[in-house]
Amino acid sequence: MRRSRAITERVSNMPGTRARRSDAEVVAAVRAAVVEELAEVGLGRLTMDGIGQRAGIAKTSLYRRWDSPQAILLDALHAGFPQEQPAPSPTDDLRHDLIQSLRLMVAWLGTPAAQATAAVLTERARYPELAEAVYTQVFEPKGGRFTGTVLRHYADTGRIDPDRLTPVVLDIGEALVLKFALDSGELPDEQTLADIVDQAILPAADRRA
Amino acid sequence: MRRSRAITERVSNMPGTRARRSDAEVVAAVRAAVVEELAEVGLGRLTMDGIGQRAGIAKTSLYRRWDSPQAILLDALHAGFPQEQPAPSPTDDLRHDLIQSLRLMVAWLGTPAAQATAAVLTERARYPELAEAVYTQVFEPKGGRFTGTVLRHYADTGRIDPDRLTPVVLDIGEALVLKFALDSGELPDEQTLADIVDQAILPAADRRA
């Protein structure tokens, strides 16, 4: 907790006598602060004051980079979401790469940023534009569907039939990971990820499975 | 809203001069009240007083049937969850029955009881025993997995290979319905349910698909 820090600290590189954090450190502190603040006070009470106080940044400094608490939140969710690779490894092994893409999803689900993302989507009815922005500004620029990114890569290279990659099929892996987490309160282990790939994704996506 | 009703109304059939609701009407009013109360005040502030006031029932009357607000909530969620049929129709048509079982799930998802169930599962970290009770006292006694109930029926009659009915495969349909609802904020339409069955469940469960 940084509540006791001076809020006169500056985002810019103006000279001063205080020990200052670098620009990147300040941005990281603000992103961490908005995620913590959301967990503590909820979406309806997210303010520039609350975020600034938690990060130890003057509100005027926050406004130099972001124009609203929602903009800070989206920035933090974007920074916390993994950048998906079309082919996470050069193995040319569809099964391996699908499991790897689900591992990337599970690693993300364990982060505070993922909890914050879930909180926004849960409140979709009250904040529809913010939920929509999570899709357009967070998920889609980074790839958007972990297994879908891999499946499209293998369709592009002729390994699987692109006609099989319907919206439903592109969603199977993520849907099963989320359902497992919902039912068990835990993240799926390695064996479960392999079962999801072998028993659900490959039979649907790959005629040879 | 029934807040203005006299709270001296009785659950029992004791004679009295007031117009009284039947036992079944009172139980239905209490079940509706706990679901409304949960949506308004949240799980942490659910009380016998709040539920009684909303239903127009004296707290002492509530205690004759239920021993806690959580017991009332579980009763209401159980009453609101559909009783699954192993074979919803005598068509002996696997595809038809799978779509029908997803329709049953979607119809339930549109009810206030389903919203209340989701609220309990969302708060699993804070109320782990209540979330667990939703599985043991609500889902499992009624069948527990809409498509799973159908798939097990067809495995029992030799139509599909029981070895294919792994936990992952039994979860595909429900997982995709929930993911669709999460992403779109809407419930899947008929075409989406058919796509889920044709493109995901049948390829995984049925070698002939």
Side-chain angles (χ1 to χ4, degrees):
Chain A
M1 300 290 277
R2 297 203 183 87
R3 278 189 183 283
S4 60
R5 275 202 178 225
I7 61 163
T8 52
E9 191 168 13
R10 290 180 179 84
V11 173
S12 69
N13 284 323
M14 285 174 62
T17 53
R18 291 174 180 275
R20 283 185 293 100
R21 290 176 285 184
S22 71
D23 207 63
E25 283 169 339
V26 168
V27 169
V30 171
R31 286 172 176 161
V34 72
V35 167
E36 286 171 21
E37 189 77 0
L38 175 67
E40 198 167 302
V41 306
L43 209 44
R45 282 184 292 177
L46 214 53
T47 62
M48 292 303 241
D49 278 325
I51 298 164
Q53 198 167 12
R54 193 179 285 270
I57 305 290
K59 195 165 69 166
T60 50
S61 298
L62 284 183
Y63 275 113
R64 275 181 219 140
R65 184 180 277 260
W66 300 279
D67 61 12
S68 69
Q70 285 74 23
I72 299 177
L73 179 59
L74 285 168
D75 180 12
L77 300 186
H78 183 269
F81 195 78
Q83 178 66 53
E84 299 170 36
Q85 303 299 324
S89 74
T91 56
D92 201 36
D93 176 344
L94 172 59
R95 176 178 185 274
H96 169 276
D97 289 351
L98 285 170
I99 293 174
Q100 186 60 33
S101 74
L102 289 180
R103 282 192 197 118
L104 193 67
M105 180 191 184
V106 169
W108 171 69
L109 284 174
T111 66
Q115 307 300 317
T117 305
V120 172
L121 298 184
T122 302
E123 297 241 49
R124 173 195 288 272
R126 224 171 300 183
Y127 304 95
E129 286 168 24
L130 190 61
E132 184 60 28
V134 166
Y135 286 85
T136 57
Q137 295 178 38
V138 178
F139 294 162
E140 286 162 24
K142 296 286 189 99
R145 272 201 191 91
F146 298 88
T147 57
T149 305
V150 172
L151 289 168
R152 281 197 209 91
H153 167 76
Y154 281 92
D156 289 346
T157 61
R159 167 72 177 77
I160 55 180
D161 178 359
D163 288 346
R164 289 203 155 209
L165 300 190
T166 62
V168 162
V169 170
L170 291 170
D171 245 358
I172 292 174
E174 288 80 339
L176 284 165
V177 167
L178 291 176
K179 180 69 159 54
F180 183 95
L182 181 72
D183 282 347
S184 68
E186 293 171 10
L187 294 173
D189 61 14
E190 278 288 305
Q191 183 59 52
T192 303
L193 297 186
D195 288 347
I196 289 171
V197 170
D198 292 332
Q199 299 168 8
I201 302 176
L202 287 176
D206 187 12
R207 203 171 293 271
R208 285 182 273 175
Chain B
M1 299 291 278
R2 298 205 182 86
R3 277 190 185 283
S4 59
R5 274 205 179 224
I7 62 163
T8 52
E9 191 168 13
R10 291 180 180 84
V11 173
S12 68
N13 284 323
M14 285 175 63
T17 53
R18 290 173 180 277
R20 282 184 293 104
R21 290 175 286 184
S22 71
D23 207 60
E25 283 170 339
V26 167
V27 168
V30 171
R31 286 172 176 161
V34 72
V35 166
E36 286 171 20
E37 189 76 1
L38 175 68
E40 197 167 304
V41 305
L43 210 42
R45 281 183 292 176
L46 214 51
T47 62
M48 291 305 242
D49 279 324
I51 298 164
Q53 199 168 11
R54 192 178 285 269
I57 305 291
K59 194 166 69 166
T60 50
S61 298
L62 284 183
Y63 275 114
R64 276 181 220 142
R65 185 181 277 261
W66 300 280
D67 62 11
S68 69
Q70 284 74 23
I72 299 177
L73 179 59
L74 285 168
D75 180 14
L77 300 186
H78 182 269
F81 195 79
Q83 178 65 53
E84 299 170 35
Q85 302 300 325
S89 75
T91 55
D92 201 35
D93 177 344
L94 172 59
R95 177 179 185 274
H96 169 277
D97 289 351
L98 285 170
I99 293 174
Q100 187 59 33
S101 73
L102 290 180
R103 283 192 196 117
L104 193 67
M105 180 190 184
V106 169
W108 171 69
L109 284 173
T111 66
Q115 306 300 317
T117 305
V120 172
L121 297 184
T122 302
E123 296 242 49
R124 175 196 286 273
R126 225 172 298 183
Y127 304 95
E129 287 168 22
L130 190 62
E132 185 59 28
V134 166
Y135 286 85
T136 57
Q137 295 178 38
V138 178
F139 295 162
E140 285 160 25
K142 296 286 188 103
R145 271 199 192 90
F146 298 89
T147 58
T149 305
V150 172
L151 290 168
R152 281 197 210 93
H153 167 77
Y154 281 93
D156 289 346
T157 60
R159 167 74 178 75
I160 55 179
D161 178 359
D163 288 346
R164 289 203 157 209
L165 301 189
T166 61
V168 162
V169 170
L170 291 170
D171 245 357
I172 292 173
E174 287 81 337
L176 284 165
V177 167
L178 290 176
K179 180 69 159 50
F180 183 95
L182 181 72
D183 283 347
S184 68
E186 293 171 10
L187 294 174
D189 60 14
E190 279 287 304
Q191 183 59 52
T192 304
L193 298 187
D195 288 347
I196 289 172
V197 169
D198 291 332
Q199 300 168 7
I201 303 176
L202 287 176
D206 187 13
R207 204 171 292 268
R208 284 181 274 173

